[in-house]
Amino acid sequence: RPEDVKEAFSARGLVLEGTPIHGAFHLAGGGGNVAKLPGFKEGNWTVQDVAAQLVGVLASPSRGQTVLELCAAPGGKSTHLAELMGDDGRVISVEVHAKKAQLVRDACSRLGIQSVAVHAADATDVQTLKALLASSALTQAKMDTCSGGEQDPPASSDTSLADIVVLDAPCSGMGTLRRNPEHRYQDDSRLAELTKLQDRLLDAGAACVRPGGSLVYSVCSPLAVEGCERVAAVLHRHPEFECPEVTHRELVIYAASSTLLGGTNRCIQSWTH
C-alpha cells in the first residue's frame, strides 16, 4: 500500500511528497542507491517519472482487458498498466531488442507481476502483432478452462485485436535534455527517420485496436513534428479514429490545446519544471 511505502521511507528519514497521481510520490532530496532504498528489492514500489505515469493513467485499462504495448523496454509502462488492472488481464509487451525485452521480464519478476507477456518482435509488423495477440488469447482461454473460471465474453470476437494499444515511440528525446544534453546536437536527417518510424508504428498499432478501443501515443519530446503532427497524420490515414477531449481528473492539469487535433484539451503535455 502507498501508506506503507511512505512509512518505511519515513523510518529512514526520507521524505516522500505527494504528486497529482494517486499512489505516486516524489522523493525529496534524493536517497542514494535506488536498490538500497526500503522495499525496492521486495517489489513494493518502482521508479518512474510522473510524465511516464501519465501514459498509463491516460490509457486507463480495466480489469480483464487486453493491452498491447509497443516499444516496451525497459518495462515501466508495462508494469504500470498491469498494476492499474490489478494484475487481472493481459499485457502483451513487444520490444524489438531481445536484451531490452529481458529488462521488461526482470521488472515484472521483481514486482511480482503475472499478467505481462514479453516478446522480442518487430512492432511495425502487423501480422506478427496480431499473431501474438491471438496466441495470448488462446493461452488465456486454456488457462480459464483448466481453472474452471468464468469469464465475461470478449468485447470483440477477433482475438487478434487489443482493447488498448500503447505506443511510447522512439523519438529525438528533446524532452530529456536535462538528463541527456547530447540530444541537442542531432541533425535533421535523424529526425526525419524518426518521424517515419513513428508513423509506421502508429499504423501498426491502429491495425491492432478493436472497434471502440483506444490507441495511446507518447514521446519524450516537445516537438510538434513528433507529437501533435504525428497524431494528426494518423487520424488522417485512419478516419475511423477520433481524438477525444481529455477529461480525467488526474490529467486535466496537463491537458493542452491543439488546433491540429481539433481544439481544447486534446493532448497531454508535461514539462520538466
Side-chain angles (χ1 to χ4, degrees), residues 85-100:
M85 291 193 290
D87 206 18
D88 179 9
R90 291 183 295 136
V91 179
I92 294 87
S93 299
V94 178
E95 169 56 48
V96 69
H97 302 290
K99 288 184 178 180
K100 290 185 177 181

Side-chain angles (χ1 to χ4, degrees), residues 40-77:
F40 180 82
K41 291 182 179 180
E42 295 79 4
N44 295 338
W45 53 269
T46 194
V47 177
Q48 191 176 38
D49 284 346
V50 169
Q53 294 179 53
L54 294 177
V55 177
V57 177
L58 182 61
S60 190
S62 301
R63 288 180 179 271
Q65 286 192 316
T66 298
V67 180
L68 173 65
E69 191 197 358
L70 308 180
C71 309
K77 293 182 180 64

